[in-house]
Amino acid sequence: MTASRPSVPAFAVAPVFAVAGVVATVLTALSGRYGYHRDELYFLVAGQKLSWGYVDQPPLTPLIARVSSEVFGNTPMGLRVVSTLACAATVVVVALLAREFGSERRGQVLAAVCAAVSGFVLGVGHLVSTATYDLLAWMLICLFAVKLLRTGDGRWWLWLGLTAGVALENKYLVVLPIGALLLALLIVGPRGVLRSWWLLAGVAVAGLVALPNVVWQFQHDWPQLTVAGGISEDDGTENRIMFIPLQLLQLSPFLVPVWVAGFMRLWRMPWARAVALAYPLLCVVVLAVGGKPYYALPLLLVLIAAGCEPMLRWRRTTLVVGLSLTAVTSALFTLPILPASAVDFVIPVNKEQGEQIGWPALATSVAGVWNTIPADQRDRATIFTGNYGEAGALRRFAPALPTYSGHMSFADWEHPADTQNGPVLLVEMERTPSFETHFNRCRQVGTIDNIVSNDEDGTALVLCDSPAEPWSTLWPKLRRYY
C-alpha cells in the first residue's frame, strides 16, 4: 500500500457489537410504550396492499412493515423489530467507518457510542419510517464509498450500486448524498475512481434493482414528484429557517465538536477530502430545494466517525459527562420515556412523540358517533378522514367501519360506491368550509380530546347528510398529495 492508500486497524468487534446490543435492548424495552405512530398506521395498510410503488414512496418500508408485523405480531413492539435491528446495524457501520479513517479500537468504540446516543439515530430507530432504513442505506453507501477511495479498488462500485438500488426502493433521497459525493470528487478528487468501468457496472446494478419502482412511477405519471413539490412548497421556508439550528441539535450539541474535528481531519487526508466536502455540498442542495433538515444528517455521522480519534485527546471526564448528557437528553426527547400525559413537554422539540398517542381513543370516539347514525341508514353511510393517520387508525382499531380517505395512496386503494349515498361522517383536523361544500348539510357532532397537544387534538367529527354528488364524480376532487 502507498501512503495515499492506507491500511486499516483491526475491527473492535466485541465492544462495538456490545454497544449495538445495548441500543437494541433499550429500543426493544421501550418499543411497546405509547402506541403506533401515524406513519406506522399508514405503512400497515400499505403493507397489506403490496405494490411496486405508492404515490408518496417506493415499496420497501411497507413491505418491511408487513413482514415484521406478521412475523413478530401486529403490535407496536412487533412492528418495530426490524427497525431496531436496522438502528443497531447503523451503529456498527459508523464504527466501521471510523476504522476506515484509521481509528484504533478506542476510536471505533467511541464512534459507536456517539452514534448510539445521538438523538437522530435513536429517534428513527424507535419508529418504523422510511428514514430508518434510509439512514442505514446511506451509511452503507458511505462505507463502500470510503473503501473505494481508500483502496482504489473499483469493485466497491458494485456494492455501492447494489445498496443504492435497494435504497431507491425505499426513498429517492439517496440520490442526494451520491450526487454530493460525485460532485466533491470532481472538485477535489481523487478523480481516478471515476474513470472505471466498475462505475458503469455499479450504475447498472443500481438501475436494475430500482427499475420496478421507476417503471411504476412512470406508469402513474410520477406522483412522487407531485408529493415532493407539495412538501417543499408547504414547508420549504420553515425548513430553510430551521436548517442550521437543527443540524446542531438533532444529533446533539455535544457532538458538534466531534464532527467539526472530523471535517478537519478528513480535509487533511487527500484521499478522503471529497468525503468532507460532500457534507457542505449536500447542505447547499437541501437548502436550495427546501428539503427537511434531517436529509443532511447522515453525512454528519460520517464526520463524527472521522472525528472520534482526535476526541480521544480530551479529558476522559469531559467525554464521559458529555456523552452521558447526550444520552439522557436524546432519550428524553426521542424515546417514549415520559408518561404519556407529560409528553407535551417534549412535543415542541420532537412532535413525533405526540403522534404515537391517542389513536385507539380516536377510533372509539369515531365509533361512538357512527353508532348515533340510524341503523337503517348505516349500510349507505361512509366515514371519510382527512389524512392517512386517521384512516390507518380506524382500519387498525375499528376495522368494521367503512373508512376511506383521499390522502396519499388511500385515494388509490378504494373509494365508496355510488350506492353509499347516505350520511357521511367527516374526520377533520380543522373544519374547512370549502371542503365541506362537497357534502350536504354538515354539522359538528364531536371533538377529539387527546391527553396531549398533538396534531389530532381538537379534531372535529362532522356529520353530513350525504355527498353532494356521486362518489365516483366526487372522488378526484377529494384527492390530496400532501
Side-chain angles (χ1 to χ4, degrees), residues 48-312:
Q48 296 300 317
K49 301 177 182 298
L50 291 177
S51 171
W52 280 115
Y54 306 89
V55 298
D56 52 337
Q57 64 190 311
L60 185 60
T61 296
L63 173 62
I64 292 173
R66 177 167 178 173
V67 171
S68 192
S69 61
E70 290 193 355
V71 173
F72 301 106
N74 192 0
T75 63
M77 180 178 286
L79 176 65
R80 293 166 178 167
V81 169
V82 179
S83 288
T84 296
L85 295 175
C87 182
T90 298
V91 170
V92 174
V93 175
V94 172
L96 286 170
L97 277 163
R99 173 177 178 257
E100 289 297 317
F101 296 132
S103 295
E104 299 287 346
R105 181 184 181 89
R106 289 199 306 154
Q108 296 170 29
V109 175
L110 180 58
V113 172
C114 287
V117 300
S118 68
F120 180 64
V121 173
L122 289 177
V124 301
H126 168 60
L127 301 174
V128 174
S129 71
T130 54
T132 307
Y133 311 114
D134 219 31
L135 175 59
L136 176 57
W138 280 41
M139 301 316 296
L140 286 170
I141 287 169
C142 290
L143 175 63
F144 298 143
V146 169
K147 284 180 174 290
L148 169 69
L149 296 176
R150 181 181 63 80
T151 65
D153 187 346
R155 288 174 294 183
W156 286 109
W157 280 118
L158 294 178
W159 288 103
L160 201 156
L162 176 62
T163 308
V166 174
L168 286 167
E169 291 289 3
N170 180 64
K171 205 168 187 177
Y172 285 171
L173 285 179
V174 72
V175 301
L176 295 180
I178 294 176
L181 182 59
L182 290 174
L183 181 57
L185 285 171
L186 289 172
I187 295 172
V188 298
R191 301 180 187 89
V193 296
L194 301 175
R195 296 189 291 268
S196 169
W197 287 104
W198 290 111
L199 170 56
L200 297 179
V203 171
V205 170
L208 184 63
V209 176
L211 184 61
N213 179 251
V214 173
V215 171
W216 188 94
Q217 287 286 325
F218 173 77
Q219 292 173 336
H220 293 79
D221 298 324
W222 302 97
Q224 270 198 260
L225 295 180
T226 303
V227 174
I231 292 174
S232 178
E233 180 179 342
D234 195 43
D235 298 332
T237 300
E238 180 182 352
N239 290 339
R240 293 183 181 97
I241 292 172
M242 295 302 298
F243 184 84
I244 292 178
L246 291 180
Q247 294 300 290
L248 304 178
L249 294 173
Q250 284 187 319
L251 287 178
S252 168
F254 172 76
L255 296 178
V256 173
V258 184
W259 58 259
V260 170
F263 181 91
M264 300 303 296
R265 184 183 179 206
L266 294 182
W267 194 254
R268 292 191 292 267
M269 298 179 180
W271 68 269
R273 192 168 293 158
V275 180
L277 182 59
Y279 171 68
L281 290 176
L282 178 59
C283 290
V284 170
V285 173
V286 174
L287 280 167
V289 301
K292 296 183 182 297
Y294 77 81
Y295 290 175
L297 291 183
L299 291 192
L300 272 186
L301 284 174
V302 179
L303 299 183
I304 284 174
C308 284
E309 191 76 14
M311 289 298 104
L312 293 174

Side-chain angles (χ1 to χ4, degrees), residues 34 98 169 222 298 331 362 390 416 467 475:
Y34 297 173
E169 291 289 3
W222 302 97
L362 180 145
E390 297 159 350
W475 199 248

Side-chain angles (χ1 to χ4, degrees), residues 386-428:
N387 64 62
Y388 62 58
E390 297 159 350
L394 293 176
R395 293 289 179 93
R396 176 66 182 86
F397 299 111
L401 299 182
T403 301
Y404 304 89
S405 179
H407 192 208
M408 298 299 188
S409 284
F410 264 100
D412 297 317
W413 293 330
E414 57 242 333
H415 62 76
D418 286 345
T419 54
Q420 291 175 264
N421 55 4
V424 181
L425 176 57
L426 304 178
V427 183
E428 301 182 71

Side-chain angles (χ1 to χ4, degrees), residues 349-366:
V349 177
N350 180 17
K351 64 173 291 188
E352 309 309 329
Q353 292 278 62
E355 296 308 302
Q356 303 168 66
I357 297 171
W359 296 112
L362 180 145
T364 298
S365 297
V366 172

